Amino acid sequence: MTIQQESLFSAAYSATTDEVCAEMHGGGVQRSTPTRRSTAPLITYVDPAGGRHEIKAQPGDSVMETAVKNGVPGIIGECGGFLSCASCHVFVTDEWIDQVGRAEDAEDETEHVILDDAAAERQPGSRLSCQVKVTDDLHGLVVHVAPEQS
């Protein structure tokens, strides 16, 4: 199909859709436009050597899954996100900690306990990245990968 044919098809489809909408809604065309963001949330991982890795994340994935899928150095995810290791330890920056939440705020105390035994010393912004789910609200999130993982 040529560009010209595609354009004609699109116009015909749109006109037909408008007619059906008008008929269904008593003459007025009522279309809704999506309000969803057209780009994926961007997460910046700062590795222990200071390298920055800006990754477009998939909402619903964890911060750990996103890092592992994209080869971010230092995030191992050894247990696959089952909250049984600390190989995805990150430090959430101060400006994001309230949005992400603290380990102490989690319903399950397991994250808190695992972080106490992590190879890298626990800090106020410490989180297991497997427990942080990506949402559109986390667009711009910055996390620092812990220098040592269990």
Side-chain angles (χ1 to χ4, degrees):
M1 186 179 285
T2 67
I3 293 174
Q4 194 173 31
Q5 288 171 323
E6 284 181 25
S7 181
L8 289 172
F9 175 79
S10 179
Y13 176 79
S14 182
T16 303
T17 304
D18 287 348
E19 290 168 9
V20 170
C21 288
E23 195 173 306
M24 289 175 61
H25 297 287
V29 176
Q30 297 179 0
R31 290 186 168 220
S32 61
T33 55
T35 56
R36 228 171 105 197
R37 178 199 322 264
S38 62
T39 60
L42 187 68
I43 299 176
T44 300
Y45 299 83
V46 181
D47 68 42
R52 296 176 69 84
H53 309 270
E54 292 184 347
I55 310 288
K56 288 184 178 180
Q58 179 68 38
D61 282 355
S62 70
V63 171
M64 182 271 302
E65 289 171 312
T66 302
V68 171
K69 285 178 187 176
N70 290 281
V72 173
I75 301 272
I76 301 165
E78 195 171 272
C79 73
F82 287 102
L83 202 59
S84 62
C85 72
S87 65
C88 65
H89 185 186
V90 296
F91 306 116
V92 177
T93 57
D94 290 342
E95 61 269 16
W96 284 98
I97 196 63
D98 289 334
Q99 183 77 20
V100 171
R102 298 180 188 279
E104 297 83 38
D105 298 336
E107 291 179 21
D108 185 352
E109 281 190 33
T110 307
E111 181 178 7
H112 182 76
V113 171
I114 290 174
L115 281 169
D116 286 340
D117 292 332
E121 187 175 330
R122 183 180 181 163
Q123 296 180 10
S126 285
R127 288 299 309 266
L128 295 177
S129 59
C130 66
Q131 297 303 298
V132 178
K133 291 294 179 196
V134 174
T135 65
D136 286 336
D137 293 338
L138 294 186
H139 179 72
L141 173 67
V142 177
V143 296
H144 293 260
V145 178
E148 303 172 56
Q149 301 287 358
S150 310

